[in-house]
Amino acid sequence: MSLANASPVPVGSVRDAPGFSETLEIGSARFALYVHVPYCRSKCPYCDFNSYASPSWPEPEYVDALCAELEYRSEQAPWRGSQVATIFFGGGTPSLFNPGSIGRVIATANHLFGIEANAEITLEANPGTVDLEKLRGFRSAGVNRMSFGAQSFRGETLIRLGRTHSPEETVQALGLARQAGFEQLNLDLIFAVPGQALDDVAADLRRAAELSPDHISAYNLTFEDGTPFGEALRRGRLHALDSDLQGEMYALVRSTLPGLGYRHYEISNYARPGCEARHNLAYWHYESYLGIGAGAHSFARANAGGRRWWNERGPRAYMVAASGEGSAEAGSESIDGRTAAGEFVFLNLRLTDGFALEDFAARFGERFETAFSEQAACLTEAGMLLVEGGRVRLTERGLELADSVFANFV
Amino acid sequence: MAQRPACGRHGMTDPAFIRNFSIIAHIDHGKSTLADRILERTGALSKREFKDQFLDSMELERERGITIKARAARLNYTARDGRAYVFNLIDTPGHVDFTYEVSRSLAACEGALLVVDASQGVEAQTLANVYLALDNGLEIIPVINKIDLPGADVERTRHQIEETIGLDAASAILTSAKEGIGIDELLEAIVSRIPPPKGERATAPRALIFDSWYDSYAGVIGLVRVFDGVFRRSMRVRLMGNGKEGEVNRLGCFVPHEREASELGPGEVGFIAAGIKAVADMRVGDTLTDAERPAAVALPGFKELKPMVFAGFYPSDADQYGALRDAVEKLRLNDASMVFQPETSQALGFGFRGGFLGLLHMEIAQERLEREFGLNLVVTAPTVAYRVRTTAGETLTVDNPSLLPEERQIEAIEEPFILAQIYLPDQYLGAVMKLCEERRGVQRDLRYVGHKRVALHYEMPLAEVVFDFYDRLKSASRGYASLDYEFVDFRAGALVKLDLRINGDPVDALASICHRDRAYERGRALCEKMRELIPRQMFEVVIQASVGARVIARESVAPLRKNVTAKCYGGDITRKRKLLEKQKEGKRRMKQIGRVEVPQEAFLALLRVGK
């Protein structure tokens, strides 16, 4: 592959900026940037993300569209004059793209907004799609965190999930990533896959920890409507694991990973201290984020509420719109203060630390205990919610029944 | 005022040329199609305006394939003898809940067509009405229909009619209503075999009301059959049952469209409106007469129908209470046999206690309220009305089990008993008797009424009959048994109140009254059913059945193990919120009992127990 058309951004050259967790000064707004790459070599039967299986893809045109959209947004509030704090290349399979293409997007973002010095720049990869050269390319393009879709270390489970890689390829990919200079590494795991036993989940957790990534996401499999898995479930050709067993698996994950050095910090996420996914934290903290690419969602805070919009889903429609108008917006929603307060609560409560009462009050001009007095009392009494030390968070039981809890806030 | 013609256009029709009849048929043996053919052949409706199955006019009736309310149509037929005849086709409801209405419709006729499917033979539902027709002295013309079907066996059907009903089927008319075969023969048979009505113009007028409904313009409209004398516009009329009077402001007949006339004479069928405000004042079975020159004796057979089955009707959404109140008032305007009283339930909030003739009548009321008035209802399990004698010497009527006084205040609980008359082929006798005894029935009579045909009389508690007895009877006799019942009296029994508790709290809407010997079994079945219906919640839900303070059954719903979506759908928070909103909406449709969310269908669990 060629890096000829890439403009890699040496990480050291990005000018200094405050760390993500520091309090922001007025005028020093920053945001999370999400870049969607909608192409995959094959579509996994459980996946309902906006992705399209294809042997080839119009990479230069798609990157042109991404850059055009970035340019368009760089002239608009609230992004104009703001800096990029994190970038996340998600998909789809962004690792299918050339490092040069990824580099162009990063360089364009840096040119238009400026990227903070210690920005977290993540790229999702399938273990079977990378080699050393490519990983080095991503690294020198500015990517500093790789997220691998390992899913499982058991061949049978991978086959059931329709994955095209082997457990060995995951091990290999991680080694190569380290060789290429990546220190921040995430592994995605999926549990509660039909055919999986509790022991299989335990084994996957052990194998994942042995590879010593600094972050592990462990997702309970969900059967989404419109996916082959969802369809098979509806027709009775595939059965979800018993819900009690799924509960036990989730409990096993929560009790195992912390013992291996990974703190449980979000419903499905575990990290070594200080290695939490900063990009995803922006979603859970209910901050502004700009999503570019086909079907990407964005959220721009405004007063207590904000505006959310989403792009054309089809890559072709997206490219036509973004390359022409700059905007590929297909729909939007205006979020009023009350709705925003509910969203703030159910997003922040995904985090095991929950949120600070003062943050809620500062943002919505009303105390949480007043805004949601009935829900708070009821859920606290039911043992789902804890209000202590100036923070609100879910109990362990509350985490297991998070959707039941969250439904009270919408 | 312009001169209006009589229904017969050229003045009143001579009774000698009138034929009044109805059609008796099993549910899909072709009654409606046959009626359509007759309407079509007599030119009552052109093809264009022809609405399939005209007589079953209510949407609900069409869907259920049954006729709930009677209707009548006046048709002109020129017979082969060259004379013009008037046919009055009177339609009848077809369910045990409406036996009385059927009997009044039949009383308005001189004859009936018994329609039997040539491939299926005589069915049970038909028989009850055939017996009612015979009781009313009607001439019955057997009609063997669907003779075009491959499975048709005319001879066997003929034989079966003779065997099971004892009718001479040698002269049965063979038809295919669908193909239009045999219709002419049938029309001739109606002329030649059904006797013309009797009655004198000069006698004091008497008309039988066999249906009535409320019209927002004309007030109550009665569908009548004139037996004696003549009714005219502006005449002052009196209802002999309750003495109510009014002036005839509209009068006419259905051809089958409404046509006003100047008078209705002996033998004629038509409608009369006399400024009566409530259907309850112009009841089916009552006799209408001339207020100035009243008849001495009313026509026989009038009885006031009392509701037999009671249930709570509640809006799913408390905001709909006002809408429900308006809707039940409107429903009542058209159905005097239905009653509604406001009541309150701890579990369900504000609603009404409805009283009905039977379970089907109740279900129809529910469906109409939901469909025609756009309401969403929670209907509690139906119950009968009990009579309670208290230690203080009072007698109370209890039609809501949760209102039963405490045990120590009760001297005795009496329950309504009925006399059930069941006709059946003797091969099912064993199964049907067993069913009756299981339902605490006491045999009063058993006799053969024909070759292999038995009439069985049992006295039974109404509570054992109203719910699923009819369905059970049909399955025990493969559909061949017919049922008719009438109230006998109240009898003291070993009855207890069965409470259902959810996490310790008794749920008023789930209380029931049952026989002491059944309490244990019923309590257990009820708890099991509730366990199936109540979804897992954040905490354990304990379901108990108790009699007084004694718990007789217990079940529990384990707490929900896990309910959490692993992913947040990237930045698509809108989608996540919508999913949560949907989940919340689902919870909103549940009823809150303490902290427990109970789905609305659970309130009907009582009804499903034992089915």
Side-chain angles (χ1 to χ4, degrees):
Chain A
M1 87 194 50
S2 161
L3 295 180
N5 62 348
S7 332
V9 182
V11 167
S13 73
V14 181
R15 61 191 169 80
D16 288 345
F20 195 85
S21 55
E22 286 171 43
T23 313
L24 294 171
E25 308 279 321
I26 306 282
S28 66
R30 49 214 296 273
F31 65 94
L33 174 64
Y34 176 78
V35 183
H36 192 71
V37 177
Y39 306 105
C40 281
R41 281 213 201 282
S42 65
K43 178 106 181 161
C44 301
Y46 57 88
C47 171
D48 78 330
F49 285 172
N50 185 32
S51 61
Y52 304 86
S54 171
S56 64
W57 45 87
E59 191 169 323
E61 292 89 334
Y62 190 80
V63 174
D64 285 347
L66 291 174
C67 294
E69 192 185 8
L70 270 179
E71 186 156 358
Y72 170 79
R73 292 295 172 195
S74 71
E75 294 301 319
Q76 290 208 317
W79 321 111
R80 196 172 66 185
S82 299
Q83 281 209 324
V84 177
T86 63
I87 304 179
F88 193 101
F89 289 90
T93 312
S95 55
L96 290 177
F97 272 24
N98 291 311
S101 302
I102 300 299
R104 251 186 84 200
V105 176
I106 296 172
T108 304
N110 190 41
H111 170 71
L112 294 168
F113 302 97
I115 298 176
E116 292 177 359
N118 57 352
E120 172 197 276
I121 302 178
T122 308
L123 185 123
E124 280 187 330
N126 270 358
T129 60
V130 290
D131 53 32
L132 183 59
E133 188 192 357
K134 198 167 194 183
L135 286 163
R136 281 188 171 138
F138 289 139
R139 183 71 191 94
S140 51
V143 177
N144 55 22
R145 185 172 180 267
M146 289 298 294
S147 174
F148 288 103
Q151 320 310 9
S152 173
F153 292 93
R154 184 169 169 258
E156 249 174 84
T157 307
L158 288 173
I159 289 164
R160 173 51 71 91
L161 288 172
R163 303 295 294 192
T164 51
H165 70 273
S166 65
E168 294 70 32
E169 280 176 304
T170 303
V171 177
Q172 210 172 33
L174 231 68
L176 293 173
R178 290 211 163 89
Q179 227 178 306
F182 286 101
E183 289 164 12
Q184 302 181 67
L185 296 166
N186 169 59
L187 287 183
D188 276 352
L189 295 177
I190 295 182
F191 66 89
V193 179
Q196 223 180 13
L198 210 51
D199 285 349
D200 298 327
V201 177
D204 276 349
L205 296 173
R206 268 197 316 277
R207 293 288 302 277
E210 275 163 23
L211 296 176
S212 200
D214 60 3
H215 192 284
I216 295 174
S217 300
Y219 297 109
N220 190 316
L221 177 68
T222 48
F223 293 79
E224 303 288 351
D225 288 345
T227 64
F229 265 29
E231 196 60 14
L233 184 78
R234 210 170 55 78
R235 291 169 184 263
R237 290 200 306 260
L238 192 61
H239 299 282
L241 294 185
D242 173 74
S243 76
D244 286 356
L245 178 58
Q246 294 195 31
E248 280 180 58
M249 288 179 171
Y250 184 40
L252 177 76
V253 179
R254 276 158 36 234
S255 63
T256 305
L257 287 177
L260 299 169
Y262 299 91
R263 190 176 85 91
H264 183 205
Y265 75 98
E266 193 265 354
I267 283 171
S268 305
N269 287 281
Y270 305 79
R272 294 237 167 97
C275 298
E276 292 82 10
R278 282 155 53 194
H279 181 83
N280 288 339
L281 281 171
Y283 298 144
W284 300 320
H285 284 147
Y286 206 48
E287 301 296 346
S288 295
Y289 53 88
L290 174 62
I292 61 166
H297 286 244
S298 302
F299 176 59
R301 281 179 60 176
N303 303 318
R307 195 174 86 88
R308 188 173 293 125
W309 67 89
W310 43 92
N311 284 348
E312 294 288 351
R313 280 177 70 84
R316 185 52 58 188
Y318 165 74
M319 284 186 279
V320 169
S323 303
E325 314 263 319
S327 164
E329 204 171 309
S332 69
E333 189 192 16
S334 170
I335 316 282
D336 61 26
R338 181 71 199 184
T339 308
E343 292 185 349
F344 176 94
V345 172
F346 79 66
L347 287 167
N348 273 279
L349 285 181
R350 293 187 68 90
L351 298 165
T352 55
D353 285 341
F355 59 91
L357 288 168
E358 60 179 3
D359 287 350
F360 183 94
R363 188 146 177 179
F364 300 105
E366 192 182 2
R367 294 175 53 207
F368 168 74
E369 303 94 309
T370 318
F372 295 108
S373 59
E374 206 181 305
Q375 293 92 323
C378 193
L379 292 165
T380 307
E381 197 209 308
M384 302 289 144
L385 205 64
L386 269 181
V387 184
E388 61 178 16
R391 296 191 75 83
V392 186
R393 61 182 175 88
L394 293 181
T395 59
E396 282 294 311
R397 186 77 181 119
L399 283 173
E400 290 179 332
L401 301 180
D403 284 354
S404 301
V405 174
F406 295 164
N408 289 281
F409 295 99
V410 296
Chain B
M1 190 203 317
Q3 179 68 37
R4 286 166 199 276
C7 262
R9 272 183 220 266
H10 311 294
M12 205 177 329
T13 312
D14 180 344
F17 298 104
I18 296 177
R19 297 293 181 273
N20 297 323
F21 64 96
S22 68
I23 304 176
I24 297 171
H26 184 69
I27 203 148
D28 42 41
H29 285 197
K31 173 164 109 173
S32 298
T33 319
L34 189 67
D36 290 348
R37 276 303 157 260
I38 295 173
L39 260 62
E40 196 182 47
R41 199 60 65 90
T42 54
L45 294 168
S46 72
K47 285 244 180 199
R48 182 173 291 277
E49 63 186 342
F50 202 82
K51 206 172 148 199
D52 261 354
Q53 307 184 346
F54 184 85
L55 291 172
D56 286 345
S57 55
M58 242 164 60
E59 185 191 357
L60 202 58
E61 296 181 16
R62 275 164 189 271
E63 278 179 29
R64 293 202 163 209
I66 51 167
T67 306
I68 299 159
K69 300 292 280 184
R71 296 281 187 276
R74 178 183 172 116
L75 315 165
N76 294 311
Y77 175 65
T78 305
R80 285 182 190 149
D81 63 9
R83 294 172 193 273
Y85 288 85
V86 166
F87 287 177
N88 287 304
L89 167 56
I90 294 172
D91 205 16
T92 55
H95 189 274
V96 64
D97 282 7
F98 304 106
T99 301
Y100 176 68
E101 267 110 332
V102 177
S103 82
R104 294 307 83 203
S105 292
L106 293 174
C109 302
E110 277 77 27
L113 312 182
L114 167 63
V115 181
V116 179
D117 186 321
S119 62
Q120 301 193 45
V122 180
E123 305 246 4
Q125 209 180 10
T126 323
L127 293 173
N129 288 351
V130 172
Y131 286 108
L132 278 175
L134 290 172
D135 285 349
N136 279 290
L138 267 55
E139 175 67 32
I140 294 177
I141 303 177
V143 178
I144 299 175
N145 193 28
K146 301 199 187 181
I147 55 164
D148 59 309
L149 289 189
D153 187 339
V154 173
E155 281 320 303
R156 204 189 58 193
T157 308
R158 221 193 278 272
H159 180 72
Q160 204 199 6
I161 292 173
E162 290 178 352
E163 183 101 309
T164 54
I165 309 175
L167 277 177
D168 178 8
S171 56
I173 311 291
L174 308 184
T175 62
S176 163
K178 195 163 141 260
E179 301 297 328
I181 300 166
I183 307 301
D184 292 334
E185 289 74 8
L186 178 59
L187 295 173
E188 284 299 315
I190 290 168
V191 170
S192 61
R193 285 159 67 177
I194 294 176
K198 298 188 187 84
E200 294 293 325
R201 280 185 67 93
T203 340
R206 287 196 299 177
L208 171 70
I209 296 162
F210 62 91
D211 192 10
S212 67
W213 64 91
Y214 183 80
D215 179 281
S216 45
Y217 298 104
V220 178
I221 296 176
L223 204 49
V224 302
R225 153 70 197 274
V226 180
F227 277 84
D228 300 302
V230 181
F231 287 85
R232 296 187 177 84
R233 275 176 65 86
S234 307
M235 184 166 137
R236 192 149 188 87
V237 289
R238 178 186 299 163
L239 286 145
M240 298 185 76
N242 57 16
K244 295 261 174 183
E245 291 185 8
E247 194 185 286
V248 175
N249 53 36
R250 263 168 78 186
L251 166 152
C253 55
F254 294 103
V255 291
H257 300 303
E258 183 179 318
R259 183 204 284 165
E260 287 204 43
S262 54
E263 57 178 51
L264 285 176
E268 288 195 292
V269 171
F271 63 86
I272 292 180
I276 305 287
K277 293 281 175 283
V279 170
D281 291 332
M282 200 184 211
R283 288 183 181 246
V284 170
D286 204 350
T287 302
L288 199 66
T289 189
D290 183 348
E292 317 289 329
R293 194 169 61 109
V297 188
L299 293 162
F302 179 48
K303 48 179 187 181
E304 194 159 324
L305 288 184
K306 289 222 164 71
M308 301 277 227
V309 177
F310 300 83
F313 277 55
Y314 292 85
S316 324
D317 183 344
D319 297 345
Q320 283 196 328
Y321 176 76
L324 174 60
R325 190 189 50 219
D326 296 347
V328 298
E329 268 169 29
K330 288 202 183 101
L331 209 56
R332 278 266 303 148
L333 284 175
N334 253 327
D335 192 338
S337 53
M338 215 176 258
V339 296
F340 283 100
Q341 292 290 333
E343 76 170 10
T344 320
S345 154
Q346 270 178 306
L348 302 175
F350 292 101
F352 291 88
R353 178 113 315 224
F356 308 92
L357 298 176
L359 212 54
L360 180 77
H361 191 215
M362 176 186 120
E363 284 166 7
I364 288 164
Q366 178 182 358
E367 281 194 45
R368 291 190 61 186
L369 287 169
E370 295 195 324
R371 196 176 300 192
E372 292 167 30
F373 298 92
L375 296 165
N376 247 319
L377 299 176
V378 181
V379 177
T380 66
T383 176
V384 300
Y386 294 87
R387 216 156 65 178
V388 179
R389 290 204 311 270
T390 66
T391 47
E394 287 173 303
T395 302
L396 312 169
T397 299
V398 175
D399 59 18
N400 177 346
S402 72
L403 299 179
L404 196 72
E406 281 181 48
E407 252 178 307
R408 56 186 170 80
Q409 294 173 355
I410 296 175
E411 179 75 34
I413 305 178
E414 296 173 340
E415 63 180 324
F417 266 68
I418 52 105
L419 177 68
Q421 303 175 44
I422 301 165
Y423 289 99
L424 73 162
D426 62 359
Q427 66 191 106
Y428 305 112
L429 195 55
V432 169
M433 283 170 62
K434 181 163 170 280
L435 174 67
C436 292
E437 323 258 288
E438 273 169 18
R439 298 304 176 100
R440 297 191 278 140
V442 177
Q443 200 186 100
R444 287 292 174 237
D445 196 11
L446 187 169
R447 68 193 143 82
Y448 274 80
V449 289
H451 182 53
K452 292 185 170 179
R453 203 152 176 83
V454 177
L456 202 51
H457 289 191
Y458 267 88
E459 280 183 359
M460 298 170 81
L462 176 63
E464 301 281 356
V465 177
V466 280
F467 306 130
D468 60 344
F469 181 75
Y470 190 49
D471 295 338
R472 287 293 183 90
L473 181 66
K474 282 201 278 186
S475 59
S477 64
R478 300 182 63 182
Y480 282 99
S482 74
L483 169 71
D484 183 16
Y485 60 81
E486 60 189 45
F487 173 73
V488 181
D489 55 9
F490 277 94
R491 291 178 197 174
L495 300 168
V496 293
K497 180 176 155 204
L498 182 65
D499 277 316
L500 192 102
R501 293 165 186 270
I502 292 181
N503 279 0
D505 300 327
V507 183
D508 58 1
L510 286 170
S512 59
I513 291 171
C514 70
H515 195 265
R516 188 177 294 283
D517 297 347
R518 296 282 183 78
Y520 176 72
E521 184 193 350
R522 190 180 165 83
R524 213 173 51 178
L526 185 56
C527 286
E528 278 169 18
K529 195 82 209 163
M530 292 301 286
R531 189 197 58 204
E532 286 168 27
L533 292 170
I534 295 178
R536 293 169 71 170
Q537 325 229 333
M538 286 182 173
F539 38 79
E540 185 186 38
V541 177
V542 175
I543 302 158
Q544 294 165 307
S546 65
V547 171
R550 195 163 48 94
V551 172
I552 57 172
R554 182 189 192 279
E555 291 285 342
S556 72
V557 179
L560 196 59
R561 183 67 183 85
K562 179 173 181 293
N563 178 30
V564 47
T565 309
K567 280 217 181 193
C568 207
Y569 304 110
D572 191 354
I573 312 301
T574 303
R575 173 173 172 195
K576 176 70 188 163
R577 191 188 70 237
K578 289 199 168 139
L579 287 172
L580 291 170
E581 280 166 355
K582 209 169 138 194
Q583 186 181 336
K584 188 181 175 182
E585 187 49 40
K587 283 158 76 107
R588 229 171 65 83
R589 282 197 298 272
M590 305 245 209
K591 290 289 174 183
Q592 197 84 24
I593 293 176
R595 284 156 66 212
V596 184
E597 282 148 4
V598 180
Q600 307 195 342
E601 60 266 31
F603 293 95
L604 273 175
L606 275 170
L607 190 60
R608 297 199 209 141
V609 162
K611 264 204 178 177

